Amino acid sequence: DLIGREAPHVVALQGADGPSSWSGKIDHVETISGLAGYEHSFRGEHSHPSLGRLDLSYGTALLSRLPLHAPRSLAFQQSWRDSKGFVAATIHPEALGGESLDVVSIHLDFLADRVRRRQVEQLVETFRGHSQHLIVMGDFNCAWSERRASLDLLHRELRLRPFAELASPTYPAWRPLVRLDWILISEGRDWSGYATLRDRVSDHLGIVAEIRRR
């Protein structure tokens, strides 16, 4: 219902389950995509290989009203407990002049800053020297006060930038105290709108942004 109401062109999901014993053994991304009327979707599997034997499956995902070209997935696997990663795909929005735009859904480690930095370094290496515009969306599990460790690296290496620092906190959903969820855009793009959604559909609040050509 929330996705249908907001009707974004692209949705980025984190903690996105495939068929798992702990969540009904259905593909949640496929189900949500169908219920919300999104024709295109892509889910990457990031759960640690050893957990697969426990019938657990989760990762990140993209839902899109536009075709998702060259979809790819990277599981960070920085340690035995690392179950985070990102997915990326290329879209060609008419509203942005049909130019190629890479969209990323990312989920970083919740516990250790040093692990988050190594994960961000993997994202940077994937897109270093990339000529297309880029939007990175997701649960970074870090606030702006920690930007030197990870967010500044994305700004310095990929020229990504966030919306104004004073945007609303997103976690925990029942009493938001910190902003852990971000949408970052590359140069040549600008913000037309940005909002934190108050619907409690997760332990995090969702965010929605409108992007335009600069």
Side-chain angles (χ1 to χ4, degrees), residues 27-86:
D27 188 317
H28 285 202
V29 174
E30 182 180 272
T31 301
I32 293 171
S33 179
L35 291 172
Y38 279 68
E39 184 176 352
H40 309 281
S41 65
F42 176 69
R43 190 183 76 89
E45 180 68 43
H46 306 326
S47 56
H48 199 278
S50 63
L51 298 178
R53 295 195 294 269
L54 301 176
D55 194 22
L56 303 181
S57 172
Y58 50 92
T60 57
L62 293 165
L63 312 182
S64 179
R65 299 189 184 280
L66 307 170
L68 294 170
H69 300 281
R72 56 268 196 205
S73 170
L74 176 68
F76 295 129
Q77 296 188 358
Q78 288 289 334
S79 69
W80 65 269
R81 66 170 184 81
D82 189 353
S83 59
K84 303 297 190 285
F86 69 85

Side-chain angles (χ1 to χ4, degrees), residues 63-177:
L63 312 182
S64 179
R65 299 189 184 280
L66 307 170
L68 294 170
H69 300 281
R72 56 268 196 205
S73 170
L74 176 68
F76 295 129
Q77 296 188 358
Q78 288 289 334
S79 69
W80 65 269
R81 66 170 184 81
D82 189 353
S83 59
K84 303 297 190 285
F86 69 85
V87 294
T90 304
I91 59 174
H92 305 282
E94 291 184 9
L96 297 179
E99 295 179 354
S100 296
L101 175 69
D102 279 348
V103 289
V104 176
S105 174
I106 190 169
H107 198 177
L108 299 183
D109 187 71
F110 73 96
L111 190 60
D113 177 69
R114 66 183 184 278
V115 175
R116 283 194 293 272
R117 183 176 178 85
R118 291 199 299 266
Q119 292 172 338
V120 168
E121 287 171 349
Q122 288 183 262
L123 177 69
V124 168
E125 285 303 313
T126 300
F127 289 97
R128 191 189 302 276
H130 198 60
S131 60
Q132 295 177 179
H133 295 290
L134 181 64
I135 298 180
V136 179
M137 306 168 280
D139 176 6
F140 289 76
N141 269 313
C142 63
W144 186 254
S145 59
E146 304 168 72
R147 65 189 183 276
R148 293 182 183 276
S150 55
L151 298 185
D152 268 6
L153 183 63
L154 291 174
H155 173 70
R156 185 172 65 252
E157 299 291 340
L158 298 181
R159 310 309 300 169
L160 293 170
R161 56 192 177 86
F163 189 69
E165 295 181 29
L166 297 179
S168 300
T170 61
Y171 181 86
W174 51 92
R175 187 184 177 187
L177 298 174

